[in-house]
Amino acid sequence: MKIIDLYIIKKYLGTFGFMLGLLSIIVLVIDVQAKAPRIESNGFKVSEFLVNFYPFWIINLIITFMSILVFISVIFFTSKIANNTEIVAIISSGASFHRFARPYLMTSGLIAIAALLINHFVLPLANIKKNELEPYTYSTKSREEFLGNAEVATQLSKTEYIFIKSYNKKNKGGSGFMYQKFDKKKNLIYQFNAADFYWDKDKKHFVMSNYLEKTFLKNDKEKLGSGNTTNKKFGLPPEELFPDVLLGQNKTTPDLVKFINREKEKGNANLNTYLNELHQRTSMPFSVIILTFLGLSLSSQKKRGGLGMNLAIGITLAFVFVFSFEVLKVVSENKSISPLVAMWLPNIIFGPVALFLYFKRANQ
């Protein structure tokens, strides 16, 4: 059986590698052709993006569609060996279906472990590079919405808040800055206003221009202070003070957990986007094993329609599986369901289905 194990593992990895390369090349060519005008209109060369953007974009793409690739790969090569009656020969030689399935478990387990490590530690580093340039592949309207001026409101702690009338994410500065601090009884005790501000990345502080500060004392008295320029620190850089939806993608899991815990301590209740990212990093690799056994169960018998029918069923189920993750993300972000349940629900549904079909096939 060791020879058969190696044969199936080679088939699995060979088909998976082929699908991986084929998808990467096709999608890369299509994406570059579609986005080249936008890239060039923003003053970049396509060659710059091919070096500094697309390698990291491809990593993200592969991880996103890994479950689909695994599922289709398993169905493709298993259908071929089933149609060649190789599975019948192996089982007729005295091996059980469970023994035949062992190399599928081993290979899917290795891919799942690799995906786990990439998701938690490698992909965030790739996302940093990807997300730096990705806004320049957007349409003008979408890019301005992402990088342009916008109002900002953030909570530093349970008693501290920042409000900004106009903040530019690209320049890390803006106008209409206001910081407020309250006491435990929710009474305002300090307020700082600045007409303009910007982040000094070398000295790691905010430079405030034309500022006015008020300290509210007892007996309704106020202590005033003003000036042309002053420096302020709030403990964090602007990326984390005013986080966007991409921040979670850019952090390795230990850093993401620290960020979520810090935001919880501050009283921030809008964390589902980051919690979705955290839980999906583990749930998606587990789906590799589930879809491997689902694919094995569906394609290990010779049937009418052959490879074409199996691939049609496989592609449909795989896209339903991955699409369900995206739908559940939106549902979770609207706080209709917890992120933990949302990101594991496809596995919870497809897992028992895969087990049922597997044991049904094994008992035939």
Side-chain angles (χ1 to χ4, degrees):
M1 284 299 292
K2 288 184 178 179
I3 295 174
I4 295 172
D5 288 346
L6 289 173
Y7 173 71
I8 292 173
I9 290 170
K10 286 180 181 178
K11 283 280 189 182
Y12 192 142
L13 293 178
T15 308
F16 176 66
F18 173 76
M19 294 284 187
L20 199 64
L22 185 64
L23 175 74
S24 300
I25 292 169
I26 292 173
V27 175
L28 176 62
V29 170
I30 293 172
D31 199 77
V32 170
Q33 287 182 337
K35 293 177 178 175
R38 296 176 187 172
I39 292 170
E40 292 172 343
S41 68
N42 283 303
F44 294 95
K45 295 180 179 178
V46 174
S47 58
E48 293 178 64
F49 268 66
L50 288 173
V51 174
N52 299 317
F53 172 76
Y54 277 107
F56 309 105
W57 180 82
I58 288 276
I59 294 173
N60 187 282
L61 179 80
I62 289 170
I63 291 297
T64 301
F65 291 100
M66 181 170 286
S67 300
I68 290 180
L69 291 173
V70 164
F71 193 39
I72 294 173
S73 298
V74 169
I75 286 178
F76 183 81
F77 84 83
T78 304
S79 295
K80 287 187 71 175
I81 63 176
N83 288 338
N84 294 334
T85 66
E86 294 175 59
I87 296 177
V88 173
I90 293 169
I91 294 177
S92 298
S93 68
S96 67
F97 188 77
H98 299 301
R99 179 62 185 85
F100 169 74
R102 184 184 296 178
Y104 286 84
L105 176 62
M106 293 166 55
T107 311
S108 62
L110 287 173
I111 293 174
I113 291 170
L116 272 171
L117 293 173
I118 292 170
N119 267 357
H120 287 286
F121 300 103
V122 178
L123 184 60
L125 302 179
N127 282 335
I128 292 173
K129 297 290 187 180
K130 177 183 77 74
N131 292 336
E132 283 179 0
L133 292 173
E134 189 161 40
Y136 300 102
T137 67
Y138 298 164
S139 65
T140 302
K141 182 180 179 181
S142 297
R143 186 177 67 254
E144 285 302 313
E145 287 177 357
F146 189 79
L147 293 177
N149 297 334
E151 290 188 10
V152 171
T154 189
Q155 187 173 354
L156 301 183
S157 70
K158 293 181 179 180
T159 58
E160 296 174 281
Y161 302 86
I162 289 177
F163 303 94
I164 302 172
K165 286 186 178 179
S166 179
Y167 176 69
N168 188 284
K169 190 181 300 181
K170 181 181 177 181
N171 299 329
K172 297 180 182 178
S175 60
F177 182 95
M178 181 171 67
Y179 164 82
Q180 292 183 324
K181 185 173 183 178
F182 296 80
D183 62 18
K184 293 181 180 179
K185 296 181 179 179
K186 303 296 182 182
N187 295 315
L188 183 62
I189 58 175
Y190 178 77
Q191 180 170 306
F192 179 92
N193 294 79
D196 302 289
F197 73 99
Y198 67 89
W199 172 253
D200 188 326
K201 65 179 182 179
D202 295 323
K203 297 181 180 179
K204 299 187 184 305
H205 61 224
F206 288 95
V207 179
M208 305 289 185
S209 302
N210 299 321
Y211 69 91
L212 172 66
E213 57 183 345
K214 297 179 183 179
T215 303
F216 296 88
L217 307 173
K218 295 180 179 179
N219 301 321
D220 295 329
K221 293 183 179 180
E222 297 178 2
K223 181 181 177 182
L224 301 177
S226 62
N228 294 325
T229 305
T230 189
N231 302 324
K232 283 284 185 179
K233 289 186 177 182
F234 298 100
L236 294 169
E239 296 86 1
E240 300 204 20
L241 280 175
F242 320 122
D244 57 37
V245 293
L246 300 180
L247 180 68
Q249 297 180 13
N250 295 349
K251 288 184 174 293
T252 60
T253 295
D255 290 338
L256 180 58
V257 170
K258 289 178 184 176
F259 169 77
I260 291 171
N261 289 336
R262 185 171 64 240
E263 291 297 304
K264 285 181 178 178
E265 289 175 3
K266 287 161 52 176
N268 187 351
N270 299 315
L271 295 174
N272 282 12
T273 298
Y274 308 110
L275 289 168
N276 284 340
E277 173 69 25
L278 177 64
H279 295 307
Q280 187 178 3
R281 290 180 182 183
T282 302
S283 64
M284 283 293 279
F286 269 90
S287 69
V288 168
I289 299 174
I290 293 171
L291 291 182
T292 291
F293 278 87
L294 184 58
L296 170 63
S297 305
L298 290 171
S299 59
S300 57
Q301 274 187 315
K302 189 174 182 179
K303 62 182 72 172
R304 186 177 298 175
L307 179 61
M309 180 61 70
N310 286 338
L311 280 177
I313 295 171
I315 291 171
T316 302
L317 286 175
F319 274 98
V320 167
F321 184 84
V322 173
F323 182 69
S324 66
F325 272 101
E326 300 306 314
V327 171
L328 287 166
K329 275 185 185 179
V330 176
V331 173
S332 174
E333 287 168 6
N334 291 331
K335 299 184 179 181
S336 301
I337 188 173
S338 77
L340 178 63
V341 173
M343 293 300 97
W344 280 94
L345 191 58
N347 287 345
I348 292 170
I349 293 172
F350 277 75
V353 173
L355 279 175
F356 171 76
L357 292 175
Y358 170 77
F359 282 106
K360 181 181 178 182
R361 173 66 183 91
N363 293 328
Q364 286 178 344

